Amino acid sequence: MATIDVTHNSSGHRFEAVVDGLLCRADYDLVDGVMRMTHTGVPSELGGRGIAAALVEAALAHARANGLKVEPWCSYVRVYMQRHPEAQPLLPEGFQL
């Protein structure tokens, strides 16, 4: 499987990758040191390639590196964090998955 090149578009408040010419994205809002992950979008024809996971992993790595907490408002991000306990310390205190 090819490596997915994820970039942080800070002005667009999203992490993104262009795969086969199509834009894939994980959107967020930054509020008081909390990255609220609001939407993850991968075109259906690209499904099953691990692209959404790569986007979320990049967002979580960014949060860790910058001392941010993460609120998974997006259902995909919520399930990802439930399945990856190592991501759960990024949750704000009291936030329930």
Side-chain angles (χ1 to χ4, degrees):
M1 181 177 280
T3 302
I4 299 162
D5 184 26
V6 177
T7 59
H8 181 206
N9 178 341
S10 59
S11 64
H13 300 273
R14 67 185 186 212
F15 290 83
E16 56 190 29
V18 177
V19 179
D20 295 346
L22 301 171
L23 179 64
C24 307
R25 56 195 282 175
D27 301 329
Y28 68 89
D29 292 318
L30 191 58
V31 179
D32 297 327
V34 177
M35 185 185 304
R36 293 179 176 166
M37 299 297 300
T38 57
H39 176 74
T40 303
V42 174
S44 59
E45 58 266 40
L46 299 177
R49 293 172 148 187
I51 298 167
L55 292 167
V56 172
E57 288 165 8
L60 297 179
H62 175 80
R64 277 188 203 94
N66 290 281
L68 302 172
K69 293 296 185 180
V70 176
E71 289 181 352
W73 290 19
C74 165
S75 60
Y76 180 86
V77 178
R78 181 178 293 268
V79 169
Y80 183 95
M81 292 183 81
Q82 287 171 339
R83 292 181 179 165
H84 293 87
E86 69 278 8
Q88 293 175 17
L90 292 171
L91 295 168
E93 188 175 332
F95 191 94
Q96 298 294 314
L97 288 176

